[in-house]
């Protein structure tokens, strides 16, 4: 096995072992694009894992490792330097052989990769976000640029695809934030804009303590509707994607939008229960992506905007 083939195999294993909802969506792509998505995902996940103080690796002995704050900053700096070398074709990380090949083959702007590291470094500061504009900058770095990198792999026509991919990244990241509110708060991370908390008379300390009352529910509904607006804005992306890109985008879009709908229906209830899709829901989503990749129509049901 060549170094490049070995690197892609490692990236595929890394993506599979992460147990992400997205991994099985990759199988909606032809093999070269699927492997490229694994290489991109492996890089993004490695950066994110350092920020989250954990590590998932093909070597099981490394799984679950924990890092101090200073160590995480040092590891991110080392990862940035390793990326510099990989893009110059000097490799010291086996995953980056495939990443560099993917970047070159699909003309992915390298600033997207560095932006993800910048975003996770914002996490290390732990200062929270005063306004939505502040949060939006963070989401752009850790999520929007990921969507923009993905469309380069999937294939697209027209500059509109880049902006719509950014909107989709915002939608997905806001969904992640709402899904993980209490888990993040327990780690002293509050991603909701502080101005929003004040608007509803709710505090970060109450979020950490899991207080669920009318103020919290009103805050949650407000944030769900904000996320919904970004889904609505991103729904037109398939028009600019190649056919196999429409399929995987459909699967990802539907997966995350259904998570948001579950959050909406819980309405602040079931504290401590992580919102996730059941196995049958994932199969349904994959089937819809194959047979109904586009378009999506939004209803105006009283329960909120939804994808049909």
């Amino acid at each position: 096995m060549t170094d490049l083939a070995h690197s892609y195999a490692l990236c595929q294993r890394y993506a599979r072992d992460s147990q992400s909802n997205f991994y099985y969506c990759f199988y909606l792509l032809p093999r070269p694009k699927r492997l490229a998505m694994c290489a991109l995902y492996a890089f993004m996940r490695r950066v994110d894992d350092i920020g989250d103080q954990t590590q998932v690796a093909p070597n099981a002995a490394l799984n679950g490792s924990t890092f101090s704050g200073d160590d995480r900053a040092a590891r991110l700096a080392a990862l940035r330097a390793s990326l510099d070398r990989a893009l110059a074709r000097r490799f010291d990380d086996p995953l980056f052989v495939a990443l560099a090949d993917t970047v070159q083959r699909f003309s992915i702007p390298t600033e997207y990769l560095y932006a993800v590291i910048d975003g996770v470094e914002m996490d290390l500061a732990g200062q929270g976000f005063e306004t939505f504009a502040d949060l939006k900058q963070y989401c752009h770095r850790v999520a929007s640029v990921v969507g923009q990198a993905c469309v380069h792999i999937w294939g697209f026509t027209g500059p509109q695809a880049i902006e719509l991919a950014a909107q989709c990244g915002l939608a997905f990241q806001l969904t992640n934030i709402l899904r993980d509110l209490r888990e993040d708060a327990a780690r002293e991370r509050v991603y909701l804009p502080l101005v929003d908390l004040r608007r509803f008379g709710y505090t970060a300390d109450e979020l950490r303590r899991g207080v669920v009352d009318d103020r919290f529910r009103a805050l949650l509904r407000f944030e769900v509707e904000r996320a919904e607006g970004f889904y609505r804005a991103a729904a037109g992306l398939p028009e600019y994607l190649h056919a196999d890109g429409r399929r995987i985008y459909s699967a990802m879009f539907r997966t995350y939008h259904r998570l948001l709908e579950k959050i909406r229906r819980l309405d602040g209830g079931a504290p401590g229960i992580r919102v996730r899709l059941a196995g049958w829901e994932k199969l349904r989503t994959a089937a819809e992506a194959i047979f109904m990749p586009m378009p999506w129509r939004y209803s105006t049901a009283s329960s909120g905007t939804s994808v049909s």
Side-chain angles (χ1 to χ4, degrees):
M1 182 181 290
T2 67
D3 288 346
L4 182 59
H6 178 66
S7 181
Y8 273 116
L10 283 176
C11 290
Q12 189 169 19
R13 183 178 174 186
Y14 198 106
R16 183 194 65 208
D17 291 352
S18 72
Q19 299 182 334
S20 166
N21 286 325
F22 284 162
Y23 175 68
Y24 292 101
C25 296
F26 296 171
Y27 281 89
L28 295 169
L29 293 169
R31 189 172 186 273
K33 293 184 178 182
R34 180 169 72 247
L35 292 177
M37 287 295 295
C38 288
L40 182 64
Y41 180 89
F43 169 74
M44 303 298 180
R45 184 58 190 260
R46 173 165 286 181
V47 178
D48 191 54
D49 285 345
I50 293 173
D52 285 343
Q53 305 183 42
T54 62
Q55 180 167 321
V56 178
N59 182 348
L62 296 176
N63 290 348
S65 300
T66 59
F67 311 134
S68 69
D70 289 343
D71 196 18
R72 281 181 287 155
R75 286 176 180 269
L76 285 176
L79 190 71
R80 187 188 296 272
S82 182
L83 177 61
D84 289 340
R85 292 188 289 272
L87 295 176
R89 315 302 294 181
R90 301 193 308 274
F91 302 108
D92 52 27
D93 186 318
L95 296 181
F96 286 3
V97 181
L99 177 67
D101 182 69
T102 292
V103 167
Q104 182 179 42
R105 183 177 302 188
F106 295 97
S107 301
I108 299 173
T110 57
E111 58 261 32
Y112 294 162
L113 306 181
Y114 290 105
V116 174
I117 300 175
D118 293 340
V120 174
E121 286 176 339
M122 291 175 68
D123 260 336
L124 299 188
Q127 296 177 347
F129 305 97
E130 178 64 26
T131 67
F132 180 67
D134 298 329
L135 176 60
K136 189 175 179 181
Q137 181 188 45
Y138 169 77
C139 291
H140 176 79
R141 290 176 173 175
V142 299
S144 290
V145 296
V146 179
Q148 291 170 325
C150 286
V151 298
H152 280 77
I153 294 174
W154 303 343
F156 66 94
T157 56
Q160 299 93 329
I162 299 299
E163 176 54 31
L164 292 173
Q167 301 300 309
C168 181
L170 278 167
F172 287 7
Q173 187 62 22
L174 291 174
T175 301
N176 279 334
I177 288 170
L178 294 175
R179 180 192 62 188
D180 300 336
L181 273 179
R182 295 185 181 89
E183 180 181 317
D184 287 333
R187 296 184 298 171
E188 301 299 322
R189 292 182 179 178
V190 176
Y191 289 98
L192 296 184
L194 299 180
V195 68
D196 292 352
L197 270 66
R198 291 195 293 270
R199 173 178 178 175
F200 292 96
Y202 195 75
T203 69
D205 180 65
E206 288 173 316
L207 180 58
R208 283 187 284 269
R209 291 189 285 112
V211 174
V212 176
D213 55 18
D214 288 344
R215 296 170 302 150
F216 175 76
R217 294 187 184 93
L219 170 65
L220 188 64
R221 291 168 193 160
F222 175 80
E223 303 297 351
V224 166
E225 289 306 317
R226 170 179 277 158
E228 188 70 67
F230 288 105
Y231 280 100
R232 192 178 301 113
L237 178 55
E239 179 182 347
Y240 303 99
L241 296 178
H242 295 179
D244 46 20
R246 289 196 292 271
R247 286 191 293 271
I248 188 171
Y249 179 67
S250 173
M252 290 180 169
F253 187 101
R254 293 170 192 266
T255 295
Y256 262 72
H257 191 268
R258 282 178 174 142
L259 288 173
L260 185 69
E261 284 299 301
K262 285 197 168 192
I263 293 167
R264 185 199 301 276
R265 288 195 297 272
L266 283 172
D267 198 29
I273 297 178
R274 185 178 176 86
V275 176
R276 63 180 71 237
L277 295 185
W280 68 268
E281 291 174 299
K282 294 178 182 179
L283 289 174
R284 173 188 171 189
T285 297
E288 289 175 344
I290 293 170
F291 297 109
M292 297 180 294
M294 65 176 295
W296 294 285
R297 292 181 298 103
Y298 279 87
S299 72
T300 56
S302 59
S303 61
T305 306
S306 63
V307 174
S308 60

